[in-house]
Amino acid sequence: MARVRVFLAVLFLLFTSSPVHGADNGSDSVLESVPDLEKAMYLNLKSYPCVRLLNLSGEIGCSNPGNDKISAPIVRLKSGTISLARPSTVLLQEEQMQDFFLRVSGDMEFSKNVAGVLVEPSETVNMSSGFSPADKFPQSAFAPYSNTSYEWNLPGSGIMWNKYDFPVFLLAEESISTLKEIVGEGNEASPENVAEFDLVMQTTKLGTHDSETCLKDQTCLPLGGYSVWSSLPPINISSTVTKPIVFAVASFDSASFFRDRSLGADSPISGLIALLTAVDALSHVNHLKNLKKQLVFAVLTGEAWGYLGSRKFLQELDLGSDSIRGLSSSMIEQIVEIGSVGQSLGKGGTLFYAHAGGESSGTKVILKALEDASESLGSDNVKVKKASSMNPGIPPSSLMAFLRKNTSASGIVLGDFDSAFSNKFYHSHLDNASNIKTSSVAAAAALVARALYIIANGDATLDLMALNDIKVNVSLVEELVGCLVTCEPGLSCELVGRYISPSNGDCPSHYVGVFQDTPSASQKPSYVDDTSRFLWNFLADMTSATRDGTDSCTGDCSNVGDVCIGSETEGGGKCVISTTRYVPAYSTRLKYENNIWHVLPANPSDPMESVDPVWTESYWNTIGLRVYKVESPLYDRLVLAGGVFVTFASYLAVVIARTQLAKVVKRD
């Protein structure tokens, strides 16, 4: 019998180890294991998901409730498609997104057969009217004025705020050719091409349909992260600032229909880059300690999701928390926010608009400083103009939170638009590096740097020589654009590498993410994203003063008031004198207690808390996408017939072999 078993094993290998046409590279390969078989059958596609988010009133985004996996044939959407004959994966062009999702939300008969959606990026984007999945007045509930029907974002469709009970993926550019290999170029629906989605969002699966419930059941985490602030020159954190504060602000988080494609190049990263470049320019000015006002810079995260960063910053100020030690809200005299500034170039030069928050004397000082800064730039032809008085007030911005907190606050928002956003791709995955001009950002940086110097100088005689010496580094603007809004080099760029070792060297994404830390007073939080860590190190470096015999470091510094910059880099960092701090950014209505997040009742003294959505992101098990072919019924029948034949032939071979072996044994 031993000889028979060997014979059968050899026979099995002869039938199973046959060459097949490889799915990945088109070459013939031998299947030697189950993973080899799976690789031959399935093609994994790199893609970016739309995910499920929750707030106090419900859900938005995408999920596949009640299903571990969804498999459905791929159908390319044709213009004039009336209905889907059966559950299908719909393949869309980017240009079709808005109309499709508006239809899905309003046509239940059509949407019931949408099993999933694949969005195919276009090689050349032709959207003259723009594409923005945000509202026409983003976050209007936080406006410090009553006209919330005003349209700041003309292309806004609001589709990202709807709930979709099917998975949606944006295909990466490198996946397009792979998909075309499977689906083909034709427009005919083919039942032989199938997409399989792994997108399990636990909150929906467990029936927790809002933030309060999912936080209680611990199936989600609040959106949030860490903002950063810094002062120039450094201040004595053991005491409160005695000088009035000029507060310069920019935000660095964006939003998109697809979580991991939130570049936000114009809105808001162009403003962030302008502020960072202005800080660099001011850091080279001598005798800043002699200025009558203290310069403080803040870069805020979570602003796209209920102004989490600015509202939490204000709460920390009220509480006198360690994260803002040295600052006082009563000392903030003027607020200058740098908004979208990447598209202001025109034939006549560069024109920016100053959106004023009221007509206070402090606001007039800012406007006058911007005009004086513009004049000082002379031949650079950088102009500034006060925004139209027909506007209802300031545009969506962090300044809204400051004005809702204190209606008498003096501030302006500097932008590249007057009555409506010039950014046609606001909060869209298409707001990428091609949507901004580095020369426009550099011009804004020069204007802001000089205006801040003029404001901080107060009523003292202005040193025109020092003012004219304030020049921006255009190469730094270009470098920051490459690091923060492009995939090559992205966060793997040399500038970021001077300060941190990024955990994600791929294309940057400025989605705020979830707050994974345990809230504490520590300035060494456990979970800080790459962008926040880079900004902390960059600002600490630009605003620093060095000691004689600067110490090297890998963490803490021995002197009070010193911080360690570049501690993640090979060889360690260095200790410098700098007032640079992390500030947690999450909803002011949340409290972490007994290892669980709790939603607090709205504070009646804070009008913003009553409209706070309290955003959370559902936990998820796996997020993935792959495609495969399902052969025709005739092919399946042929395979079945072939299998039956092989089985019969194998049985017959075994019978013959046993008979022959029996004869051999008898002869022996």
Side-chain angles (χ1 to χ4, degrees):
M1 291 300 293
R3 292 179 180 177
V4 173
R5 283 196 295 269
V6 171
F7 178 81
L8 291 175
V10 172
L11 188 65
F12 175 77
L13 287 173
L14 287 173
F15 279 114
T16 57
S17 297
S18 55
V20 297
H21 189 69
D24 285 334
N25 52 23
S27 62
D28 288 343
S29 59
V30 176
L31 302 181
E32 297 180 344
S33 64
V34 172
D36 287 345
L37 177 61
E38 186 172 352
K39 186 177 180 181
M41 291 175 60
Y42 298 101
L43 288 172
N44 292 306
L45 297 181
K46 183 178 179 181
S47 53
Y48 308 98
C50 160
V51 301
R52 177 69 89 216
L53 298 176
L54 302 94
N55 57 33
L56 291 180
S57 58
E59 304 164 293
I60 69 166
C62 312
S63 179
N64 53 340
N67 298 284
D68 286 350
K69 282 186 173 65
I70 287 182
S71 299
I74 300 172
V75 174
R76 186 181 292 275
L77 186 72
K78 296 185 290 185
S79 59
T81 300
I82 299 174
S83 62
L84 299 170
R86 57 176 175 160
S88 305
T89 298
V90 181
L91 179 61
L92 301 175
Q93 292 287 328
E94 281 176 329
E95 292 86 347
Q96 298 173 299
M97 263 191 77
Q98 181 168 305
D99 291 341
F100 175 82
F101 283 103
L102 288 173
R103 181 180 179 185
V104 163
S105 298
D107 186 345
M108 298 305 295
E109 187 64 26
F110 175 75
S111 63
K112 70 180 183 181
N113 279 330
V114 178
V117 175
L118 302 178
V119 178
E120 184 179 3
S122 304
E123 292 183 6
T124 56
V125 178
N126 182 22
M127 295 187 185
S128 57
S129 59
F131 170 73
S132 172
D135 291 329
K136 292 187 180 299
F137 190 148
Q139 306 193 89
S140 59
F142 292 93
Y145 45 84
S146 58
N147 184 4
T148 55
S149 61
Y150 187 81
E151 296 184 359
W152 288 103
N153 181 30
L154 296 178
S157 62
I159 60 173
M160 68 181 286
W161 303 111
N162 295 333
K163 171 186 173 184
Y164 306 102
D165 286 332
F166 49 80
V168 181
F169 284 80
L170 171 69
L171 297 173
E173 291 183 3
E174 56 263 42
S175 296
I176 298 174
S177 58
T178 302
L179 188 66
K180 285 180 177 178
E181 180 184 321
I182 292 292
V183 178
E185 296 285 357
N187 289 328
E188 295 299 320
S190 173
E192 297 184 0
N193 305 304
V194 173
E196 180 181 275
F197 302 89
D198 289 330
L199 184 70
V200 183
M201 311 302 285
Q202 290 183 355
T203 53
T204 302
K205 187 177 180 183
L206 295 175
T208 50
H209 297 287
D210 60 73
S211 289
E212 187 165 14
T213 309
C214 75
L215 287 171
K216 187 181 298 181
D217 289 351
Q218 300 184 60
T219 57
C220 63
L221 283 173
L223 296 193
Y226 283 94
S227 301
V228 179
W229 72 271
S230 187
S231 66
L232 182 68
I235 59 178
N236 184 357
I237 61 172
S238 62
S239 61
T240 303
V241 175
T242 55
K243 289 182 178 181
I245 293 172
V246 181
F247 198 66
V249 186
S251 57
F252 66 92
D253 77 292
S254 186
S256 166
F257 196 95
F258 305 100
R259 182 192 62 186
D260 300 324
R261 292 299 284 168
S262 300
L263 285 170
D266 189 36
S267 306
I269 302 302
S270 64
L272 169 71
I273 293 174
L275 179 59
L276 297 180
T277 308
V279 174
D280 171 67
L282 288 167
S283 72
H284 295 94
V285 177
N286 295 321
H287 311 301
L288 288 176
K289 287 185 178 181
N290 298 332
L291 294 176
K292 288 199 168 185
K293 299 180 184 180
Q294 176 70 49
L295 292 170
V296 174
F297 311 100
V299 289
L300 306 172
T301 190
E303 297 300 89
W305 303 94
Y307 299 111
L308 298 176
S310 51
R311 290 174 50 232
K312 187 63 178 176
F313 191 96
L314 288 166
Q315 185 187 59
E316 295 281 286
L317 276 173
D318 287 344
L319 296 173
S321 301
D322 284 345
S323 63
I324 49 80
R325 192 168 11 132
L327 298 184
S328 168
S329 57
S330 62
M331 298 303 292
I332 297 178
E333 194 167 278
Q334 280 116 357
I335 303 166
V336 179
E337 179 170 358
I338 302 91
S340 304
V341 292
Q343 299 187 16
S344 66
L345 280 182
K347 292 181 180 179
T350 309
L351 175 63
F352 297 100
Y353 292 89
H355 299 261
E359 296 292 335
S360 68
S361 58
T363 300
K364 292 177 181 177
V365 168
I366 303 173
L367 292 171
K368 180 66 166 59
L370 285 167
E371 291 171 359
D372 291 345
S374 171
E375 288 182 13
S376 75
L377 288 167
S379 60
D380 290 343
N381 204 18
V382 180
K383 303 299 181 185
V384 64
K385 183 178 179 182
K386 187 177 179 181
S388 172
S389 59
M390 300 301 291
N391 295 348
I394 61 172
S397 57
S398 302
L399 184 58
M400 282 187 167
F402 287 88
L403 290 176
R404 287 295 294 268
K405 181 72 175 177
N406 178 10
T407 55
S408 62
S410 300
I412 63 100
V413 179
L414 187 71
D416 54 14
F417 61 92
D418 185 2
S419 298
F421 295 163
S422 56
N423 183 6
K424 293 182 179 181
F425 303 114
Y426 180 83
H427 281 183
S428 157
H429 64 283
L430 298 173
D431 188 8
N432 53 35
S434 66
N435 200 36
I436 60 173
K437 301 177 179 69
T438 55
S439 52
S440 175
V441 179
L447 184 68
V448 168
R450 295 194 178 193
L452 289 175
Y453 180 82
I454 294 170
I455 298 168
N457 190 65
D459 56 6
T461 302
L462 187 62
D463 186 343
L464 294 177
M465 185 174 294
L467 180 66
N468 291 327
D469 282 343
I470 299 175
K471 300 184 185 300
V472 300
N473 182 351
V474 177
S475 297
L476 177 61
V477 174
E478 295 169 348
E479 200 170 3
L480 285 166
V481 168
C483 296
L484 297 176
V485 295
T486 68
C487 295
E488 295 291 340
L491 292 176
S492 298
C493 69
E494 190 270 337
L495 176 61
V496 171
R498 289 181 212 163
Y499 297 111
I500 68 168
S501 297
S503 58
N504 181 13
D506 294 335
C507 297
S509 177
H510 301 299
Y511 170 66
V512 62
V514 293
F515 195 87
Q516 301 182 61
D517 234 334
T518 301
S520 70
S522 171
Q523 276 298 304
K524 293 187 175 298
S526 302
Y527 300 97
V528 186
D529 66 68
D530 291 340
T531 304
S532 293
R533 297 197 329 277
F534 165 67
L535 292 174
W536 184 95
N537 279 273
F538 182 90
L539 287 172
D541 191 14
M542 293 299 106
T543 62
S544 67
T546 57
R547 296 182 186 275
D548 293 335
T550 300
D551 296 331
S552 60
C553 57
T554 56
D556 294 327
C557 295
S558 57
N559 294 308
V560 176
D562 284 13
V563 297
C564 181
I565 59 174
S567 61
E568 298 178 34
T569 59
E570 186 177 348
K574 63 179 180 178
C575 290
V576 296
I577 306 169
S578 178
T579 311
T580 304
R581 299 286 181 270
Y582 286 117
V583 183
Y586 54 84
S587 171
T588 57
R589 289 192 59 183
L590 291 176
K591 182 179 181 181
Y592 191 79
E593 192 173 49
N594 298 324
N595 296 319
I596 191 171
W597 289 96
H598 301 271
V599 178
L600 303 174
N603 183 352
S605 65
D606 184 352
M608 291 182 285
E609 287 205 350
S610 62
V611 295
D612 185 351
V614 188
W615 288 106
T616 57
E617 182 182 316
S618 164
Y619 284 157
W620 41 267
N621 287 340
T622 54
I623 295 181
L625 169 66
R626 60 185 185 178
V627 295
Y628 59 92
K629 278 185 175 291
V630 175
E631 302 296 347
S632 66
L634 175 60
Y635 182 84
D636 288 342
R637 286 194 288 270
L638 290 173
V639 171
L640 177 62
V644 171
F645 172 77
V646 168
T647 302
F648 177 76
S650 300
Y651 175 76
L652 186 62
V654 169
V655 171
I656 294 172
R658 292 184 66 177
T659 302
Q660 293 299 321
L661 286 170
K663 290 180 180 179
V664 170
V665 170
K666 285 182 179 180
R667 290 196 193 101
D668 293 343

